[in-house]
């Protein structure tokens, strides 16, 4: 099951079920009894010869019991289920996924509705949509006009859809760092730390106009959400003290300046009837300041390295009495096909230390930096594993992920797609790279290193790699690509899912061919490759780009597509340089 329950025992006997039954029509009795089931969201489920009996702590627990019934019925053999008893409850009260909708991709509403259904089936109960500029704020049209943003009406509709499935739709608007999409415009630039500089991506924490600006955004955004929590972001604010806040940072320290601004933001959030959540990375450098964070603020303890020191950061937050989430990463960002081995290690590390230190929530993040080049289905494997961990760490750490994916996610009768997704998520390991700030070699080649006009002229990092490694990776990707023909998925989007994966495989294989050609030529930039090699690569890429664009708009809005595809277009231009 997904996730596996805390406790389960067979009681003997069998319950007959029709083939492919409608679960809502099955004989199910439900009783809400918080005395019999003490854990919030918990339930007891009995499969008896004549029906199902649910005793739940609350309505959410009853809903999760019904998700378990659906999963049991999905696995019924010979039209019968074994009689059994389950006692189940979550390790983390809040179990969520964060989707980045500001790095190019804003999903269509149907995509979001479908994902909420899948989350709820995995017993996850929180969805955050990370925003920088992807909400249609009145009076700020120039910032979002090209991004196909979420409208207030759409957010309210999604919020209602989530509530029916016991999922909190939590607003997430960055409010300090990562504001370059606003500060690039002259009317907003004065709000920045370095308004006259070439890089101006942080609000200035000592400028009171920033609070007026944020209050205006919150006044439009927050009424669209029924959840009591609001993620104000505030991560990666590297520019504190580099400009207008320099005097304050020198006098108090940049972490104290940060904390003072966070407290002011918190007062705004309280005034709008919400609880503040924030990314807690800045306080890692000054843990002695953690006790000064107001106790009505929720810290999100994020760390994406497989060996990130959650063993240190979680106790620091717990000792200070600060409520907190742990937040690992799907590792799909900057990858094309994922880095599943890294993601699973990161997810388990967060879950074990979060549970041991009383974390109230678990939020796995799916980012889209550098163009959001990975297609949506690539996140299913890391999210499914994380869903198991944040429900019951001990019961799910060693889950049979391939089978879980086949049965409950991909619905593959052939039992192929689950293992295929896992193998593709490990394909990056054939060519390891330490290129900062991470990502697979496939992605770096297509989105980070194109020649003299980019930072790594002559590809110093590429020349440290081996032709043979890329050749082996290409052979393995070709083998895996053939496996898609063996799948038999019972999903309405099965054909699209295969096409999306195969497009990312084609991109990764092109990256291998591109690397091999450049390495054999001594690591030259694309325009310096031999003409016949350039044209062959250009022909291959010409076949990929239109497929990438068509698949993009199958699940996502068109805004942001040009931003994502421009790097592939730039490679094509370099390969065709001098050609008519």
């Amino acid at each position: 099951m997904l996730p596996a329950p805390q406790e389960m025992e067979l009681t003997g006997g069998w319950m007959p079920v029709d083939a492919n039954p409608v679960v809502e029509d099955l004989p199910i009795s439900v009783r809400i009894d918080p005395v019999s089931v003490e854990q919030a969201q918990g339930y007891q489920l009995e499969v008896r010869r004549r029906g199902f009996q649910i005793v739940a702590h609350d309505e959410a627990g009853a809903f999760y019991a019904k998700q378990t019934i659906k999963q049991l019925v999905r696995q019924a053999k010979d039209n019968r289920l074994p009689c059994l008893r389950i006692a189940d409850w979550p390790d983390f009260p809040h179990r969520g996924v964060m989707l980045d909708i500001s790095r190019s991709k804003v999903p269509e509403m149907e995509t979001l509705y479908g994902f909420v259904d899948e989350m709820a089936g995995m017993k996850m109960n929180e969805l955050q949509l990370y925003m920088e500029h992807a909400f249609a704020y009145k009076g700020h049209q120039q910032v979002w006009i090209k991004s196909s943003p979420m409208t207030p009406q759409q957010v309210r509709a999604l919020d209602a859809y989530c509530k029916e499935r016991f999922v909190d739709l939590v607003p997430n608007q960055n409010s300090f760092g990562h504001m370059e999409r606003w500060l690039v415009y002259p009317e907003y630039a004065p709000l920045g730390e370095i308004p006259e500089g070439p890089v101006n991506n942080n609000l200035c924490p000592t400028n009171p106009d920033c609070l007026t600006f944020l209050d205006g955004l919150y006044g439009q955004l927050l009424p669209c959400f029924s959840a009591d929590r609001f993620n104000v972001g505030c991560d990666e604010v590297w520019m504190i003290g580099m400009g207008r806040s320099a005097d304050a940072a020198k006098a108090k320290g940049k972490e104290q300046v940060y904390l003072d601004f966070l407290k002011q933001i918190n007062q705004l959030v309280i005034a709008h009837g919400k609880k503040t959540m924030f990314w807690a990375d800045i306080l890692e450098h000054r843990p002695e300041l953690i006790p000064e964070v107001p106790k009505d603020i929720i810290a999100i303890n994020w760390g994406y390295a497989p060996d990130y020191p959650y063993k240190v950061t979680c106790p620091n937050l717990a000792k200070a009495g600060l409520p907190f989430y742990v937040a690992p990463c799907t590792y799909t960002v900057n990858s094309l096909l994922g880095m599943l081995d890294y993601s699973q290690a990161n997810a388990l590390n967060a879950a074990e230390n979060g549970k041991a230190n009383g974390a109230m929530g678990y939020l796995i993040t799916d980012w889209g930096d550098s163009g959001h080049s990975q297609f949506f289905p690539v996140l299913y494997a890391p999210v499914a594993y994380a869903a198991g961990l944040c429900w019951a760490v001990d019961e799910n750490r060693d889950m049979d992920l391939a089978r879980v994916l086949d049965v409950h996610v991909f619905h593959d009768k052939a039992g192929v797609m689950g293992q295929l997704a896992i193998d593709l998520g490990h394909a990056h390991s054939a060519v390891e790279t330490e290129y900062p700030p991470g990502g697979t070699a496939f992605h770096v080649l297509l989105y980070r290193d194109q020649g003299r006009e980019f930072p790594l002229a002559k590809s110093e990092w590429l020349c440290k790699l081996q032709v043979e490694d890329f050749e082996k990776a290409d052979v393995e990707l070709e083998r895996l690509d053939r496996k898609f023909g063996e799948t038999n998925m019972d999903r309405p989007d099965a054909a699209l899912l295969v096409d999306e994966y195969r497009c990312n495989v084609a991109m990764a294989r092109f990256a291998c061919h591109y690397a091999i050609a450049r390495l054999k030529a001594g690591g030259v930039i694309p325009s310096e490759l031999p003409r016949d090699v350039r044209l062959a690569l250009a022909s291959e890429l010409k076949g990929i780009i239109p497929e990438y664009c068509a698949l993009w708009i199958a699940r996502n809005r068109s805004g942001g597509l040009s931003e994502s595809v421009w790097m592939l277009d730039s490679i094509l231009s370099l390969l065709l340089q001098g050609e008519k």
Side-chain angles (χ1 to χ4, degrees):
M1 285 181 288
L2 178 61
Q6 301 275 5
E7 298 176 5
M8 183 172 68
E9 62 174 332
L10 297 175
T11 56
W14 299 88
M15 174 188 170
V17 293
D18 295 333
N20 303 314
V22 177
V23 172
E24 288 72 16
D25 294 339
L26 291 171
I28 302 174
S29 72
V30 178
R31 179 166 57 92
I32 305 300
D33 184 352
V35 175
S36 297
V37 180
E38 297 180 357
Q39 302 92 343
Q41 305 178 49
Y43 65 90
Q44 296 172 0
L45 169 65
E46 285 195 53
V47 180
R48 298 178 172 180
R49 288 183 174 87
R50 295 184 179 180
F52 301 90
Q53 178 174 297
I54 296 170
V55 181
H57 178 90
D58 46 28
E59 294 293 341
F63 178 81
Y64 298 135
K66 291 177 182 178
Q67 305 314 302
T68 298
I69 291 173
K70 291 180 181 180
Q71 294 177 5
L72 290 169
V73 169
R74 195 177 292 146
Q75 301 173 81
K77 295 182 179 179
D78 301 322
N79 293 344
R80 62 180 189 170
L81 290 175
C83 293
L84 51 80
R85 182 183 297 111
I86 289 174
D88 205 8
W89 62 90
D91 284 342
F92 293 85
H94 302 278
R95 305 170 302 281
V97 180
M98 189 221 76
L99 299 180
D100 182 352
I101 66 169
S102 284
R103 316 297 172 80
S104 306
K105 279 182 180 172
V106 181
E108 293 284 6
M109 294 302 292
E110 289 304 313
T111 302
L112 292 171
Y113 290 146
F115 187 62
V116 169
D117 287 336
E118 291 177 306
M119 284 180 57
M122 298 178 192
K123 303 185 177 73
M124 302 191 88
N125 65 353
E126 182 168 324
L127 174 62
Q128 296 191 18
L129 302 178
Y130 171 80
M131 296 178 184
E132 294 171 4
H133 67 302
F135 181 80
Y137 290 106
K138 290 182 180 179
H140 304 288
Q141 186 175 8
Q142 67 173 328
V143 176
W144 51 257
I145 189 64
K146 296 180 181 180
S147 67
S148 301
M150 299 282 291
T151 68
Q153 295 80 7
Q154 289 171 335
V155 172
R156 287 189 174 97
L158 181 61
D159 185 81
Y161 193 86
C162 287
K163 283 184 70 175
E164 292 174 354
R165 290 151 182 82
F166 294 89
V167 173
D168 286 335
L169 182 65
V170 174
N172 184 327
Q173 168 65 63
N174 218 328
S175 306
F176 197 167
H178 295 289
M179 294 296 286
E180 60 271 16
R181 294 178 189 268
W182 293 81
L183 301 178
V184 70
Y185 296 102
E187 53 267 59
Y188 301 104
L191 299 173
E193 176 73 13
I194 312 177
E196 69 284 355
V199 179
N200 186 31
N201 59 13
N202 288 185
L203 296 180
C204 176
T206 57
N207 182 353
D209 291 341
C210 290
L211 295 171
T212 303
F213 165 70
L214 291 174
D215 194 39
L217 299 188
Y218 297 170
Q220 294 189 47
L221 179 70
L222 299 187
C224 301
F225 296 82
S226 60
D228 66 349
R229 304 176 302 288
F230 170 33
N231 187 346
V232 300
C234 299
D235 63 317
E236 297 182 331
V237 286
W238 300 302
M239 300 184 73
I240 293 177
M242 297 176 65
R244 293 186 173 184
S245 68
D247 290 343
K250 184 176 180 180
K252 299 189 290 186
K254 64 181 182 179
E255 292 85 2
Q256 186 65 58
V257 172
Y258 173 94
L259 183 55
D260 291 346
F261 190 50
L262 177 65
K263 290 178 180 178
Q264 292 175 304
I265 290 175
N266 184 46
Q267 290 305 308
L268 296 181
V269 175
I270 291 172
H272 287 281
K274 304 290 185 184
K275 295 179 182 178
T276 299
M277 310 175 78
F278 79 107
W279 304 111
D281 52 295
I282 192 73
L283 294 179
E284 291 177 21
H285 308 292
R286 294 278 302 280
E288 71 274 12
L289 293 178
I290 294 176
E292 295 186 27
V293 179
K295 300 302 183 288
D296 57 355
I297 292 181
I298 301 168
I300 305 178
N301 183 17
W302 68 275
Y304 300 153
D307 58 352
Y308 177 77
Y310 280 114
K311 287 185 178 180
V312 175
T313 57
C314 288
N316 284 343
L317 294 167
K319 289 175 185 176
L322 194 64
F324 70 97
Y325 283 38
V326 288
C329 181
T330 61
Y331 261 99
T332 60
V333 63
N334 296 336
S335 73
L336 297 183
L337 294 164
M339 303 173 74
L340 186 58
D341 45 350
Y342 288 7
S343 177
Q344 287 186 276
N346 183 218
L348 181 58
N349 180 11
E352 289 179 331
N353 287 287
K355 180 183 178 182
N357 290 279
M360 65 181 293
Y362 184 104
L363 181 73
I364 187 163
T365 60
D366 190 72
W367 296 101
D369 304 54
S370 307
H372 216 139
S373 55
Q374 73 277 14
F375 284 106
F376 197 85
V378 178
L379 68 78
Y380 285 141
V383 166
Y385 183 67
L389 295 178
C390 61
W391 182 269
V393 178
D394 294 334
E395 295 299 326
N396 289 284
R397 69 176 70 242
D398 297 318
M399 72 163 63
D400 184 347
L401 183 57
R403 185 174 185 278
V404 162
L405 291 169
D406 281 330
V407 174
H408 302 301
V409 179
F410 296 126
H411 306 289
D412 186 8
K413 298 175 182 177
V416 173
M417 188 63 218
Q419 188 61 51
L420 180 52
I422 292 170
D423 290 343
L424 289 168
H426 292 168
H428 73 94
S429 60
V431 188
E432 290 286 7
T433 173
E434 296 180 356
Y435 177 89
T440 66
F442 311 137
H443 191 277
V444 172
L445 281 156
L446 301 186
Y447 289 86
R448 305 286 186 87
D449 174 39
Q450 305 310 328
R452 292 193 183 95
E453 62 271 48
F454 292 85
L456 296 182
K458 291 293 182 182
S459 294
E460 293 179 5
W461 79 275
L462 177 61
C463 289
K464 296 177 182 179
L465 302 177
Q466 302 296 318
V467 168
E468 293 78 10
D469 291 336
F470 284 105
E471 290 176 336
K472 290 178 181 177
D474 184 42
V475 169
E476 175 65 2
L477 288 168
E478 182 182 27
R479 181 187 73 82
L480 294 174
D481 189 53
R482 291 195 297 268
K483 299 285 288 183
F484 286 107
E486 302 174 16
T487 63
N488 182 20
M489 288 181 280
D490 185 17
R491 288 177 56 112
D493 65 344
L496 173 60
L497 189 152
V498 167
D499 288 343
E500 289 169 319
Y501 254 116
R502 295 194 71 183
C503 184
N504 274 153
V505 170
M507 293 168 71
R509 293 194 66 199
F510 170 78
C512 291
H513 305 158
Y514 183 50
I516 291 166
R518 293 174 64 189
L519 282 170
K520 286 183 175 179
V524 299
I525 61 177
S527 56
E528 295 177 356
L529 288 168
R531 183 173 185 270
D532 60 331
V533 175
R534 286 193 294 108
L535 294 183
L537 288 169
S539 178
E540 183 179 356
L541 188 54
K542 280 182 179 180
I544 292 172
I545 291 175
E547 178 75 359
Y548 180 81
C549 294
L551 291 171
W552 171 289
I553 60 175
R555 293 191 200 267
N556 307 288
R557 309 174 193 200
S558 59
L561 173 56
S562 60
E563 180 181 290
S564 180
V565 79
W566 82 271
M567 192 65 81
L568 299 180
D569 286 336
S570 75
I571 296 174
L572 186 59
S573 295
L574 289 168
L575 292 172
L576 293 175
Q577 192 167 305
E579 301 294 328
K580 294 183 179 180

